[in-house]
């Protein structure tokens, strides 16, 4: 076989989903060669995953759609890692999960044992061999999914946003595991986190919103500009007149808002939580949040971030006098009184939907039609008012929930992982929205895995580890903190080299300025 | 499975349990349920090494069903046409037919519950599905779909609780009305469908559709010992059944 033979070739390929007016992928010409490593880029909904699913044979075999054009495959062995680690787990134990594909392909049990032992060792998962996948963290589960795919000894490996649900450290670990693949293994990967994925690919293809290819080339070209394109430019960062040699923007000093003298809106003292089964999620959390402050909470999966929000919103039982909201004991407040002030926007936007129309969703938050129209327009959902919320894209759903929260007018807003499912452009929109909310005086608590979001909106960042606060300070403090894993710093901080001893200030846009 | 039963096919044990259940279901006397209840307990504690405390802890709350059936039948059985014989128990005067019927139904319920719970105590549902895929040709696609469904139960429960909480917060702590249940159900359904789709894709990309010559990491073949266990139990059940019929203790009845 030719060293650089094509494993997949697409000729003028279009994909149309049943009932869709326009193709999801339009007139794509593309080939993946043996050993080639291809990155698919583009905004949410542009057809990247569709294209990957077509090449992997998922469309139209499992997901129905009409294909036009031609696809030529060389019958290569494939492996696939999907976005959501939890949804990929089928079997009762990790070893059986890895064995699942091998069993389907009729691999003899002795060889199966060898391959399972091999991939577990390679990805550092030996200790989890007999665990139920439900006990694994998101990062561990995704490494199991990768191990399961690699155990099949694929010639071509497809990865569809494999780190979308992972924290920064797990993301780095996942790509570290990916870098151990044999150079003969071809890759096709959809991934927004360019800083991690660029070192493992040798070619990129960018799709436009209409599903056609707008650019392709060497990732080295991309790396010279992607900092701006992906995040910073979109949030209207001040681009330096002449960039640094690495293309990293210098950031301006900005006025830091002062909150210390204000009375805390929210006061948490020695907040603890132990889940049934004995796992300590919160181990004595102390926090004061002041009026108008935007506090961002970061940390690895399982560090207690979401549990902390659940405590503040009294979703979990609250011990007396541990959480005070405007001096009222949250543990004793009636729900009507507590939720008059506080609104929690969940990780899954669909959980917030109560009606069958976008307009009705917004209407629940305000009786004022003018306000509704203005906010719908601000959030780019004015054209979607007649739609069913469940039919929106992930970005649109997220914008709808945040718009509802804004219209609702409550003073304390809690956001749990608001960047899940969003591309750089949607994250940039979210940044603008959060900054607006903050400048209008809303008090915000945001749990996120996105250091970029944290650095762009936070007055204060908290880092959690095993249910305790291990860092509390401004983004600039975090950037100069030597003890914090650099994975928790945004791309522009990591790109500028050592984090030791550096300080950086992220400009805050004050109301009326951009 | 646990104890000696761990070395036997969960599917074989399921067949054995059916042989215990059938005579109890067909009987309308107080002896047959007790005989098979005892046989089941001997199997559980002798071969399954089930701890008595664990068994009682699970059975305890379920005793409400046989006790409830006993009381209901004692109080509300139509005794017309069954004579007017009464017996005194302490300060109570009870209709003899009603007492007999209540006792039979309660013992039958107790026996059926005990045999079913006993099976669940010694066999995991996933072990049973694994065994059925390998031993009776349950299609792997269906078997693994059951695994996915089983694994999704805690997720379903957690999502239900989370959705209800989010809605309560959104509605400013207002009490929920029946109408509010609709969006909860819609959200749960949408999530379940999406989860099932993802799982189907995950299985398909790993070749579940082409698994004509599927192998198994942990082979669970039907062995000679499974035949022996099944045949031995059939012989015991048949012997007991024959004795119950021969001695006139067995009374057929489905009521």
């Amino acid at each position: 076989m030719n060293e650089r033979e094509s494993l997949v070739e697409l000729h003028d390929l279009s994909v149309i989903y049943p009932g869709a007016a326009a193709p999801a992928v339009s007139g794509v010409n593309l080939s993946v060669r043996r050993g080639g490593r291809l990155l698919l880029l583009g905004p949410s909904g542009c057809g990247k995953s569709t294209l990957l699913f077509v090449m992997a044979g998922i469309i139209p075999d499992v997901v129905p759609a009409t294909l036009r054009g031609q696809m030529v495959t060389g019958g290569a062995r494939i492996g696939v890692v999907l976005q959501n680690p939890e949804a990929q787990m089928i079997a009762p134990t990790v070893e059986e999960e890895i064995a699942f594909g091998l069993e389907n392909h009729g691999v003899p049990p002795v060889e199966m044992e060898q391959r399972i032992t091999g991939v577990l060792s390679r990805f550092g998962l030996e200790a989890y061999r007999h665990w139920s996948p439900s006990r694994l963290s998101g990062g561990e589960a995704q490494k199991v999914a990768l191990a399961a795919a690699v155990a099949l000894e694929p010639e071509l490996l497809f990865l569809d946003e494999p780190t979308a649900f992972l924290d920064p450290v797990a993301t780095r670990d996942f790509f570290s595991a990916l870098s151990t693949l044999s150079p003969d293994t071809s890759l096709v990967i959809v991934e927004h986190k360019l800083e991690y994925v660029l070192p493992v690919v040798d070619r990129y293809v960018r799709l436009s919103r209409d599903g056609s290819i707008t650019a392709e080339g060497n990732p080295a070209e991309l790396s010279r500009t992607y900092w701006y394109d992906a995040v910073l430019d979109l949030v209207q960062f001040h681009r330096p007149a002449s960039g640094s040699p690495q293309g990293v923007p210098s950031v301006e000093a900005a006025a830091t808002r002062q909150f210390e003298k204000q009375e805390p809106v929210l006061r948490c003292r020695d907040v603890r939580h132990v889940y049934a089964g004995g796992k300590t999620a919160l181990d004595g959390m102390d926090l004061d949040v002041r009026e108008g402050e935007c506090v961002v909470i970061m940390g690895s999966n399982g560090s207690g971030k979401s549990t902390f929000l659940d405590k503040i919103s009294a979703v979990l039982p609250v011990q007396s006098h541990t959480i005070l909201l405007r001096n009222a004991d949250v543990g004793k407040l009636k729900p009507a009184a507590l939720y008059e002030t506080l609104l929690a926007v969940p990780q899954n936007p669909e959980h917030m939907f109560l009606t069958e129309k976008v307009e009705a969703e917004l209407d629940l938050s305000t009786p004022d039609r003018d306000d509704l129209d203005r906010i719908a327009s601000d959030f780019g959902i004015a054209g979607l008012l007649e739609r069913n919320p469940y039919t929106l894209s992930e970005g649109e759903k997220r914008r709808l929930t945040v718009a509802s929260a804004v219209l609702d007018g409550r003073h304390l807003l809690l956001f749990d992982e608001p960047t899940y499912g969003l591309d750089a452009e949607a994250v940039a929109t979210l940044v603008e929205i959060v900054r607006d909310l903050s400048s209008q005086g809303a008090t915000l608590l945001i749990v996120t895995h996105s250091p970029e979001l944290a650095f762009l909106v936070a007055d204060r960042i908290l880092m959690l580890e095993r249910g305790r606060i291990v860092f509390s300070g401004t983004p600039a403090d975090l950037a100069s903190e030597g003890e914090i894993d650099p994975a928790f710093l945004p791309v522009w901080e990591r790109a500028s080299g050592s984090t030791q001893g550096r300080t950086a200030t992220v400009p805050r846009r004050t109301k009326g300025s951009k | 499975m646990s104890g000696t039963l761990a070395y036997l096919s969960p599917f074989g044990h399921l067949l054995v349990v059916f042989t215990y259940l059938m005579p109890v279901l067909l009987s309308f006397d107080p002896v047959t349920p007790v005989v098979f209840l005892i046989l089941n307990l001997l199997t559980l504690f002798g071969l399954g090494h089930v701890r008595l405390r664990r068994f009682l802890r699970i059975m305890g709350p379920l005793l409400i069903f046989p006790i409830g059936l006993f009381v209901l039948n004692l109080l509300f059985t139509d005794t017309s046409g069954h004579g007017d014989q009464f017996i005194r128990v302490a300060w109570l005067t009870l209709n003899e037919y009603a007492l007999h019927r209540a006792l039979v139904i309660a013992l039958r319920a107790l026996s059926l519950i005990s045999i079913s719970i006993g099976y669940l105590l010694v066999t995991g549902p996933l072990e049973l599905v694994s065994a059925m895929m390998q031993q009776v040709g349950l299609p792997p696609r269906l078997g693994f779909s059951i695994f996915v469904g089983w694994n999704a139960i805690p997720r379903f429960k957690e999502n239900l609780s989370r959705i209800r909480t989010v809605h309560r917060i959104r509605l400013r702590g207002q009490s929920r009305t029946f109408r509010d249940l609709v969006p909860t159900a819609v959200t749960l359904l949408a999530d379940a469908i999406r989860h099932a789709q993802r799982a189907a894709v995950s299985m398909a990309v790993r070749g579940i559709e082409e698994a004509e010559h599927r192998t198994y990491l942990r082979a669970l073949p039907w062995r000679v010992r499974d035949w022996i266990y099944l045949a031995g139990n059939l012989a015991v059940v048949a012997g007991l059944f024959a004795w119950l019929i021969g001695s006139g203790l067995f009374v057929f009845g489905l009521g």
Side-chain angles (χ1 to χ4, degrees):
Chain A
M1 276 187 162
N2 185 329
E3 181 71 11
R4 298 291 286 170
E5 70 181 302
S6 282
L7 299 178
V8 183
E9 279 185 24
L10 307 179
H11 300 287
D12 197 23
L13 189 99
S14 297
V15 184
I16 304 161
Y17 284 113
V25 168
S26 180
V28 167
N29 290 292
L30 187 65
S31 68
V32 181
R33 299 196 175 278
R34 185 172 292 280
R37 300 191 163 194
L38 173 67
L39 169 65
L40 298 176
L41 284 174
S44 287
C46 72
K48 306 180 296 290
S49 296
T50 298
L51 192 55
L52 182 139
F53 278 24
V54 168
M55 288 191 275
I58 298 167
I59 293 175
D61 291 351
V62 187
V63 178
T66 305
L67 304 191
R68 290 192 187 138
Q70 196 186 10
M71 179 167 78
V72 181
T73 58
R77 284 189 311 276
I78 66 161
V80 182
V81 179
L82 301 169
Q83 196 179 93
N84 188 333
E86 185 196 3
Q88 291 174 81
M89 298 294 129
I90 308 293
T93 65
V94 166
E95 70 168 3
E96 286 170 279
E97 186 62 43
I98 296 170
F100 177 77
L102 301 171
E103 292 174 329
N104 289 334
H105 287 88
V107 175
V110 175
E111 187 184 338
M112 238 190 279
E113 283 279 1
Q114 290 166 351
R115 287 207 208 176
I116 292 168
T117 304
V119 291
L120 286 173
S121 157
R122 181 166 168 184
F123 297 120
L125 296 164
E126 297 101 320
Y128 308 118
R129 183 170 190 138
H130 301 291
W131 281 33
S132 162
S134 62
R135 286 178 64 198
L136 302 175
S137 70
E140 289 157 357
Q142 199 62 308
K143 275 209 273 186
V144 169
L146 177 63
V150 170
L152 292 167
E153 298 179 348
E155 295 162 274
L156 179 52
L157 186 59
F158 295 97
L159 302 108
D160 182 24
E161 291 195 54
T163 65
F165 291 85
L166 306 191
D167 65 53
V169 174
T171 297
R172 186 185 56 200
D173 288 351
F174 182 86
F175 278 101
S176 167
L178 200 61
S179 67
T180 66
L181 290 179
S182 149
D184 292 336
T185 309
S186 304
L187 283 184
V188 177
I189 182 166
V190 173
E191 180 60 65
H192 290 303
K193 296 171 185 170
L194 300 183
E195 69 276 21
Y196 290 107
V197 73
L198 287 179
V200 297
V201 296
D202 58 19
R203 187 167 148 240
Y204 79 91
V205 161
R206 190 193 293 270
L207 299 180
S208 64
R209 286 206 182 276
D210 66 1
S212 60
I213 294 178
T214 56
E216 56 185 309
N218 188 315
E221 304 159 13
L222 195 64
S223 62
R224 286 200 290 273
T225 60
Y226 79 88
W227 310 110
Y228 303 111
D229 293 343
V231 185
L232 302 176
D233 198 31
L234 287 163
V235 290
Q236 294 150 41
F237 241 76
H238 298 275
R239 202 185 276 208
S242 56
S244 64
Q246 296 84 12
V248 178
S250 60
V251 287
E252 295 181 345
T256 305
R257 302 196 300 170
Q258 298 296 317
F259 294 96
E260 286 72 15
K261 291 173 187 168
Q262 293 178 23
E263 188 68 16
V265 176
L266 180 72
R267 181 168 277 175
C268 303
R269 289 289 176 273
D270 197 28
V271 178
R272 295 172 183 274
H273 190 77
V274 179
Y275 282 109
K279 189 194 170 201
T280 299
L282 298 176
D283 191 14
M285 298 267 293
D286 294 332
L287 175 68
D288 284 345
V289 181
R290 293 176 163 78
E291 187 88 48
E293 195 176 10
C294 178
V295 177
V296 174
I297 306 173
M298 292 205 295
S300 299
N301 286 333
S303 58
K305 306 183 298 294
S306 297
T307 305
F308 190 43
L309 289 196
D310 283 349
K311 277 286 195 188
I312 293 168
S313 53
V315 170
L316 294 171
V318 179
Q319 290 82 3
S320 289
H321 305 297
T322 56
I323 302 177
L324 302 178
L325 181 62
R326 294 191 193 283
N327 293 321
D329 187 348
V330 168
K332 291 178 180 166
L333 268 179
K334 290 217 160 62
L338 174 62
Y339 302 135
E340 196 56 43
T341 308
L342 175 154
L343 179 65
V345 180
Q347 209 173 88
N348 182 344
E350 286 184 0
H351 287 180
M352 210 163 151
F353 298 157
L354 282 158
T355 69
E356 292 165 13
K357 260 167 71 173
V358 169
E359 186 178 23
E361 281 296 314
L362 296 173
D363 204 36
L364 271 176
S365 298
T366 180
D368 189 319
R369 182 72 212 190
D370 290 340
D371 276 354
L372 188 154
D373 288 336
R374 182 175 52 79
I375 292 292
S377 171
D378 285 355
F379 282 68
I381 52 174
L384 307 171
L385 294 180
E386 294 300 313
R387 291 263 301 271
N388 185 314
Y390 289 95
T391 65
L392 303 179
S393 72
E394 284 306 305
E396 289 163 348
K397 283 177 193 166
R398 183 70 63 190
R399 289 210 295 275
L400 171 58
T401 55
V402 180
S404 301
V406 172
L407 278 172
D408 222 80
R410 294 183 222 185
H411 298 297
L412 177 58
L413 298 175
L414 314 181
F415 291 94
D416 194 0
E417 299 291 2
T419 60
Y420 272 176
L422 302 188
D423 58 22
E425 191 177 338
V427 170
T429 307
L430 184 72
V431 167
E432 294 296 324
I433 292 165
V434 171
R435 286 177 162 191
D436 274 342
L437 278 172
S438 203
S439 63
Q440 286 163 22
T443 307
L444 301 159
L445 255 83
I446 301 171
V447 161
T448 185
H449 281 156
S450 166
E452 290 75 27
L453 176 71
F455 269 62
L456 292 169
V457 302
D459 293 305
R460 187 153 46 115
I461 294 176
L462 303 181
M463 290 291 304
L464 264 57
E465 207 176 283
R466 293 194 201 97
R468 298 185 76 91
I469 297 172
V470 293
F471 171 86
S472 173
T474 64
D477 294 338
L478 183 63
S480 57
E481 167 67 53
E483 298 294 310
I484 297 297
D485 191 316
F488 287 106
L489 299 178
V491 290
W492 54 88
E493 290 294 333
R494 271 176 283 139
S496 61
S498 165
T499 58
Q500 290 282 352
R502 279 186 308 101
T503 56
T505 311
V506 177
R508 281 197 65 87
R509 183 167 60 79
T510 52
K511 192 168 173 58
S513 71
K514 279 204 170 186
Chain B
M1 302 234 284
S2 52
T4 307
L5 291 179
Y7 300 99
L8 297 167
S9 162
F11 179 67
H13 185 54
L14 180 67
L15 294 178
V16 165
V17 164
F18 276 127
T19 67
Y20 294 176
L21 289 173
M22 287 313 291
V24 178
L25 279 168
L26 297 174
S27 70
F28 201 78
D29 63 78
V31 181
T32 308
V34 173
V35 167
F36 286 97
L37 174 64
I38 292 168
L39 180 62
N40 177 58
L41 295 179
L42 288 173
T43 309
L44 281 185
F45 300 124
L47 300 178
H49 293 185
V50 171
R51 290 215 308 263
L52 180 64
R53 273 183 67 179
R54 184 169 175 232
F55 179 75
L56 292 177
R57 204 173 57 231
I58 294 170
M59 277 299 290
L62 296 171
L63 288 177
I64 186 114
F65 294 106
I67 292 169
L69 284 169
F70 179 81
V71 172
L72 286 173
N73 279 280
L74 190 62
L75 297 178
F76 300 111
T77 292
D78 179 8
T79 56
S80 54
H82 293 286
D84 285 335
Q85 297 190 344
F86 293 90
I87 54 170
R88 285 190 69 84
V89 178
W91 70 95
L92 288 170
T93 304
L94 303 169
N95 180 288
E96 196 177 311
Y97 172 74
L99 179 63
H100 178 263
R101 182 180 169 81
L103 190 66
V104 165
I105 289 176
L107 285 172
R108 195 162 66 169
L110 177 68
S111 184
L112 293 175
I113 292 170
S114 159
I115 294 170
S116 307
I117 292 296
Y119 184 74
L120 296 178
L121 280 176
V122 294
T123 312
L126 304 184
E127 291 171 313
L128 174 65
V129 173
S130 291
M132 288 180 73
M133 282 194 289
Q134 296 190 45
Q135 293 168 6
V136 290
L138 179 74
R141 195 171 194 281
L142 178 59
F144 282 99
S145 297
I146 294 171
F147 283 0
V148 170
W150 183 263
N151 291 336
I153 292 172
R155 169 195 169 86
F156 184 84
K157 201 173 145 193
E158 191 187 319
N159 272 351
L160 175 62
S161 155
R162 191 155 286 279
I163 292 165
R164 292 171 70 174
T165 305
V166 169
H167 287 179
R168 197 174 75 227
I169 295 174
R170 179 124 199 253
L171 295 169
R172 296 175 189 260
Q174 287 171 24
S175 299
R176 291 166 54 82
T177 63
F178 183 71
R179 270 184 58 199
D180 298 333
L181 296 177
V182 176
T184 304
V186 169
T187 309
L188 270 179
L189 188 65
D191 187 74
I193 291 170
R194 217 161 284 142
H195 188 71
Q197 278 175 340
R198 290 184 193 125
V201 169
S202 176
M203 287 196 278
V205 296
R206 287 186 278 170
I208 192 78
E209 304 293 348
E210 296 99 49
E212 286 169 20
H213 304 288
R214 200 171 199 281
T215 50
Y216 287 90
L217 176 68
R218 300 275 169 260
L220 291 170
W222 182 270
R223 297 184 172 94
V224 173
R225 59 185 176 228
D226 295 311
W227 283 118
I228 294 170
Y229 177 65
L230 183 60
N233 266 285
L234 277 174
V236 171
V237 169
L240 285 171
F241 201 37
W243 169 70
L244 286 165
I245 292 172
S247 60
L249 292 169
F250 177 83
V251 178
F252 175 77
L254 299 169

